[in-house]
């Protein structure tokens, strides 16, 4: 397998090309920058919060945004600590090392501080799939953290695999309103209190983000969260992988179809927003999902 640009040995072959290490790194950065440009994700002078778990994807994103936008923008790293022993505590150490080494300002917000419980503790008393509760708290805290650090946008390292999962999950649940809020620039962008989310890695897949981090010497652990792979998302994730193996290009087609459908909808279509009675952040209901969950957790015994 030869690099399509220089003819030397290729290290990867995907929809984005068959490339050697050097040309792959170059193309990866070009695709990220062209996504930023095409969707107007970052404007000069904006303060960008990078949602940084300390994993390979978010460190790669922080690496590229720091490399190209540090002079024109302020970059701050925000980390949500779910409280998962043997997993998040390790990635947080990696995140701190990285931010200290490259002089990136960082802030950490934890489930424990917000809801009084770690994810490990929540799983001991709460029935159901851990990711459901975790997703509610993480989405809330990312927005809360981004507001607290006065960010104009929050950049997440969601890649093509993550987004294809989101699209299929929304389709299977017949939730078109939610699906059309996906994309490179997502969220209810006109609502005060919501920091818009941007996804510069939308057109890069899992295999590419993993290789990019390795080739750039980004230290990352490759063990997944102990609660990953359960429930609906786990099922969809496995099905998409199988689909991609049998029909190459499926993930990209899923994303492209979503982007086409999205064109017919406005960013805030179908959403009527109130303010949460407890925290004051925008919410579809009188009390937001995170405050409702927090109330439930406070009442259940701490383990
Ligand atoms: S896999 Fe589930 S429990 Fe683990 S961090 Fe992700 S959402 Fe939370
Ligand atoms: Zn090459
Ligand atoms: Zn609330």
């Amino acid at each position: 397998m030869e690099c399509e640009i220089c003819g030397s040995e290729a290290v990867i072959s995907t929809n984005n090309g068959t490339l050697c290490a050097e040309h792959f790194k170059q193309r990866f950065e070009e695709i990220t920058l062209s996504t930023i440009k095409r969707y107007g994700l970052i404007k000069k002078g904006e303060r960008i919060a990078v949602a940084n778990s300390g994993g390979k994807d978010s460190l790669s994103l922080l690496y590229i945004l720091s490399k190209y936008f540090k002079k024109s923008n302020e970059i701050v790293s925000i980390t949500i600590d779910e409280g998962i022993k043997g997993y998040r505590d390790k990635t947080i150490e990696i995140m701190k090392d990285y931010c200290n080494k490259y002089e990136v300002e960082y802030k950490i917000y934890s489930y424990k501080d917000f809801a009084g419980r770690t994810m490990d503790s929540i799983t001991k008393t709460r029935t159901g799939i851990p990711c459901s509760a975790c997703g509610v708290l993480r989405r809330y805290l990312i927005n809360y953290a981004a507001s607290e650090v006065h960010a104009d946008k929050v950049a997440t390292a969601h890649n093509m695999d993550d987004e294809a999962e989101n699209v299929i999950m929304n389709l299977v649940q017949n939730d078109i309103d939610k699906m059309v809020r996906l994309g490179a620039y997502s969220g209810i962008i006109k609502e005060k209190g919501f920091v818009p989310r941007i996804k510069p890695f939308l057109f890069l897949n899992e295999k590419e983000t993993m290789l990019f981090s390795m080739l750039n010497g980004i230290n990352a652990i490759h063990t997944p969260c102990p609660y990953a792979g359960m429930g609906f998302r786990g099922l969809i994730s496995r099905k998409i992988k199988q689909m991609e193996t049998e029909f190459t290009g499926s993930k990209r087609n899923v994303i492209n179809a979503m982007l086409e459908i999205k064109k017919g909808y406005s960013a805030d279509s179908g959403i009527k927003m109130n303010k949460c009675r407890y925290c004051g952040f925008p919410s579809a209901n009188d009390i937001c999902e995170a405050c409702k969950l927090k109330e439930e957790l406070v009442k259940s015994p701490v383990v």
Side-chain angles (χ1 to χ4, degrees), residues 82 84 87-88 111 119 130-132 134-135 138 225-229:
E82 298 94 344
I84 302 173
Y87 171 65
R88 185 60 73 222
Y111 288 9
M119 199 56 217
C131 298
S132 319
C134 190
R138 177 165 343 85
C225 166
Y227 309 119

Side-chain angles (χ1 to χ4, degrees), residues 7-298:
S8 60
E9 199 186 336
V11 291
I12 191 165
S13 183
T14 68
N15 286 328
N16 290 321
T18 301
L19 300 158
C20 69
E22 274 319 300
H23 286 119
F24 165 71
K25 285 196 281 181
Q26 202 176 314
R27 177 126 344 142
F28 188 99
E29 294 187 5
E30 279 164 9
I31 292 171
T32 306
L33 295 174
S34 86
T35 304
I36 292 174
K37 194 166 173 212
R38 185 168 7 139
Y39 293 97
L41 302 188
I42 299 179
K43 306 247 165 23
K44 202 172 170 192
E46 281 180 338
R47 184 164 162 86
I48 307 296
V50 178
N52 182 4
S53 64
K56 60 182 175 35
D57 294 357
S58 46
L59 289 177
S60 298
L61 180 60
L62 185 58
Y63 168 85
I64 295 183
L65 295 189
S66 300
K67 180 170 173 183
Y68 292 98
F69 295 93
K70 213 172 177 178
K71 287 200 179 109
S72 55
N73 295 75
E74 286 173 352
I75 309 283
V76 52
S77 163
I78 52 173
T79 298
I80 309 304
D81 179 3
E82 298 94 344
I84 302 173
K85 223 169 181 319
Y87 171 65
R88 185 60 73 222
D89 45 359
K90 287 187 184 159
T91 71
I92 285 179
E93 283 315 306
I94 295 172
M95 178 282 292
K96 283 184 186 166
D97 286 348
Y98 187 95
C99 290
N100 288 331
K101 185 167 168 196
Y102 294 100
E103 297 179 344
V104 179
E105 173 190 349
Y106 69 84
K107 294 256 185 309
I108 303 173
Y109 296 80
S110 70
Y111 288 9
K112 177 97 175 128
D113 287 343
F114 173 70
R117 303 270 297 274
T118 61
M119 199 56 217
D120 287 333
S121 153
I122 294 170
T123 57
K124 289 193 181 116
T125 56
R126 198 170 194 272
T127 52
I129 306 300
C131 298
S132 319
C134 190
V136 168
L137 294 175
R138 177 165 343 85
R139 269 192 304 279
Y140 179 84
L141 280 182
I142 286 180
N143 188 62
Y144 177 86
S147 312
E148 270 242 327
V149 301
H150 306 292
D152 296 297
K153 308 255 173 72
V154 55
T156 66
H158 282 92
N159 57 35
M160 191 185 280
D161 297 57
D162 304 320
E163 194 76 338
E165 277 174 24
N166 289 334
V167 173
I168 302 287
M169 282 173 76
N170 292 156
L171 279 177
V172 174
Q173 290 166 324
N174 189 21
D175 197 342
I176 301 299
D177 284 344
K178 209 164 166 192
M179 187 191 82
V180 297
R181 297 202 302 274
L182 297 171
Y185 196 136
S186 67
I188 304 160
I189 54 186
K190 288 181 198 130
E191 191 67 39
K192 202 167 173 278
F194 267 128
V195 182
R197 291 185 189 203
I198 58 172
K199 298 173 192 159
F201 286 170
L202 185 64
F203 298 103
L204 291 154
N205 67 35
E206 176 77 34
K207 191 168 147 192
E208 290 165 322
T209 50
M210 164 123 37
L211 182 61
F212 183 82
S213 67
M214 281 162 57
L215 293 175
N216 282 290
I218 290 169
N219 179 19
I221 61 163
H222 293 282
T223 46
C225 166
Y227 309 119
M230 299 182 194
F232 188 41
R233 182 176 286 275
L235 171 72
I236 298 291
S237 169
R238 290 190 293 278
K239 292 290 170 200
I240 291 176
K241 281 194 176 69
Q242 185 187 349
M243 208 160 66
E244 183 69 33
T245 311
E246 291 177 29
F247 303 100
T248 310
S250 299
K251 282 183 289 193
R252 181 173 290 260
N253 289 341
V254 165
I255 304 288
N256 287 341
M258 176 271 290
L259 293 173
E260 272 307 308
I261 296 168
K262 191 179 157 81
K263 283 180 188 163
Y265 290 76
S266 69
D268 56 359
S269 85
I271 300 284
K272 291 270 168 297
M273 277 292 152
N274 303 307
K275 272 194 188 318
C276 169
R277 181 149 47 101
Y278 293 160
C279 68
F281 275 93
S283 164
N285 302 308
D286 183 37
I287 302 172
C288 76
E289 290 292 307
C291 286
K292 224 187 284 174
L293 180 57
K294 178 179 174 175
E295 213 172 21
E296 177 202 313
L297 293 172
V298 167

